């Protein structure tokens, strides 16, 4: 069993289906977790359920506040962040020719630019500790494309390339950067998909089922642990084949 005792982890997007499942795995592994999100009610629910978890309401779209957020988070965790899990993200779907510039910009700004700024600022902390891990949650559609999601797919594909660049730049400093790329997972986001389209999607999955958030969380847990110490710049695909 993986144990993360004394490992300090910042998790964004903790209130969603995948985020909550990741959080549960981290708590079971005895990690020290600071969970963030924008929904105060859900953060309070997390605090009630997991007494050991620190929570902080923060909107990662506020780029000018990210450096302060990382500094404050580090201070709350005894000036050491061992792992950053960039899980927060948004969608704003539309066919390409109908997609407004603000729809494109919002998704790129939150999913890609915010992740860049969070990673950039946490790496400064990790350099002082001489170690660290960053885990970026991408998506299967970042590798395949998807109808009506030019902005989302671009942001997720960008995360993969950006992670490889970070891995090259900071591998010698004992900082690893990897991605987990979920396929179609049973969450609130996928529940909105038309049932007929769901059947088509499922028919293309060798395991013949959608995934569970815990399937993604298991891979994240592995990357948080020392079992993954010789892995960087990689993407783990959790998509049923």
């Amino acid at each position: 069993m993986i144990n993360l005792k004394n490992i300090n982890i910042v998790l964004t997007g903790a209130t969603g289906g995948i985020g909550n499942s990741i959080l549960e795995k981290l708590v079971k592994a005895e990690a020290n977790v600071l969970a963030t999100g924008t929904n105060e009610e859900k953060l309070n629910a997390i605090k009630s359920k997991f007494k050991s978890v620190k929570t902080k309401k923060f909107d990662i779209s506020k780029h000018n506040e990210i450096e302060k957020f990382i500094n404050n988070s580090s201070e709350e965790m005894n000036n050491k962040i061992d792992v950053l899990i960039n899980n927060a993200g948004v969608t704003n779907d539309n066919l390409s020719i109908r997609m407004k510039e603000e729809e494109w910009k919002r998704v790129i700004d939150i999913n890609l630019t915010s992740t860049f700024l969070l990673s950039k600022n946490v790496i400064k902390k990790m350099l002082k500790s001489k170690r660290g891990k960053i885990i970026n949650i991408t998506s299967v559609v970042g590798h395949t494309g998807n109808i009506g999601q030019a902005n989302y797919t671009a942001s997720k594909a960008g995360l993969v390339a950006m992670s490889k660049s970070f891995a090259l730049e900071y591998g010698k400093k004992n900082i690893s950067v990897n991605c987990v790329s979920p396929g179609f997972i049973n969450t609130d986001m996928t529940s909105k998909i038309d049932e007929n389209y769901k059947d088509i999607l499922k028919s293309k999955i060798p395991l013949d089922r959608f995934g569970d958030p815990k399937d993604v969380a298991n891979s994240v847990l592995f990357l948080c642990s020392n079992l993954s110490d010789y892995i960087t710049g990689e993407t783990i695909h959790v998509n049923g084949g």
Side-chain angles (χ1 to χ4, degrees):
M1 182 176 173
I2 290 173
N3 187 278
L4 299 174
K5 193 171 184 178
N6 298 321
I7 300 297
N8 295 342
I9 300 175
V10 174
L11 168 66
T12 71
T15 58
I18 290 176
N20 215 259
S21 189
I22 292 171
L23 179 61
E24 193 165 332
K25 292 284 183 182
L26 297 178
V27 171
K28 284 183 179 178
E30 300 184 70
N32 302 320
V33 185
L34 189 154
T36 77
T38 56
N39 188 314
E40 195 159 3
E41 186 178 337
K42 289 183 178 181
L43 287 172
N44 288 334
I46 285 173
K47 191 65 180 173
S48 297
K49 185 178 180 181
F50 305 110
K51 303 298 182 184
S52 64
V53 172
K54 298 177 187 291
T55 59
K56 185 186 289 288
K57 184 180 179 182
F58 182 67
D59 183 350
I60 65 168
S61 70
K62 296 180 178 178
H63 293 166
N64 61 335
E65 296 180 17
I66 285 178
E67 183 175 8
K68 182 180 178 181
F69 165 73
I70 291 295
N71 288 338
N72 290 343
S73 299
S74 179
E75 287 175 11
E76 285 191 37
M77 306 188 89
N78 297 317
N79 297 311
K80 183 170 72 81
I81 298 174
D82 298 296
V83 182
L84 169 66
I85 303 170
N86 287 307
N87 175 61
V90 297
T91 58
N92 201 336
D93 299 349
N94 212 339
L95 290 174
S96 300
I97 62 170
R98 297 176 184 166
M99 187 174 288
K100 297 175 183 177
E101 186 175 345
E102 53 265 34
E103 291 173 328
W104 168 271
K105 193 171 186 300
R106 177 172 180 261
V107 173
I108 296 295
D109 279 355
I110 293 175
N111 294 1
L112 186 57
T113 306
S114 295
T115 299
F116 167 75
L117 293 171
L118 286 160
S119 301
K120 168 186 172 179
N121 282 285
V122 87
I123 284 172
K124 293 177 182 178
K125 304 295 181 184
M126 291 174 173
L127 286 171
K128 294 178 181 178
S129 302
K130 299 182 179 178
R131 69 183 308 275
K133 294 175 182 285
I134 297 174
I135 302 161
N136 295 320
I137 308 301
T138 61
S139 171
V140 62
V141 297
H143 306 271
T144 64
N146 200 30
I147 293 169
Q149 289 194 314
N151 49 5
Y152 185 74
T153 58
S155 71
K156 293 301 186 177
L159 282 181
V160 174
M162 184 181 76
S163 298
K164 287 180 177 291
S165 295
F166 274 135
L168 287 168
E169 290 176 2
Y170 299 104
K172 290 181 180 177
K173 301 297 184 181
N174 201 27
I175 297 171
S176 65
V177 186
N178 291 291
C179 295
V180 173
S181 179
F184 288 92
I185 308 297
N186 286 315
T187 63
D188 288 341
M189 190 181 291
T190 54
S191 70
K192 299 171 186 175
I193 298 174
D194 177 78
E195 288 300 322
N196 290 329
Y197 188 47
K198 275 188 181 180
D199 290 338
I200 293 170
L201 291 172
K202 197 192 300 184
S203 71
K204 297 178 181 179
I205 300 172
L207 290 183
D208 194 35
R209 64 177 177 85
F210 286 163
D212 187 272
K214 68 182 179 183
D215 296 317
V216 180
N218 285 333
S219 293
V220 173
L221 181 65
F222 165 71
L223 288 175
C224 287
S225 76
N226 59 9
L227 297 176
S228 67
D229 281 356
Y230 198 55
I231 300 173
T232 193
E234 297 297 332
T235 298
I236 297 179
H237 296 267
V238 185
N239 60 22

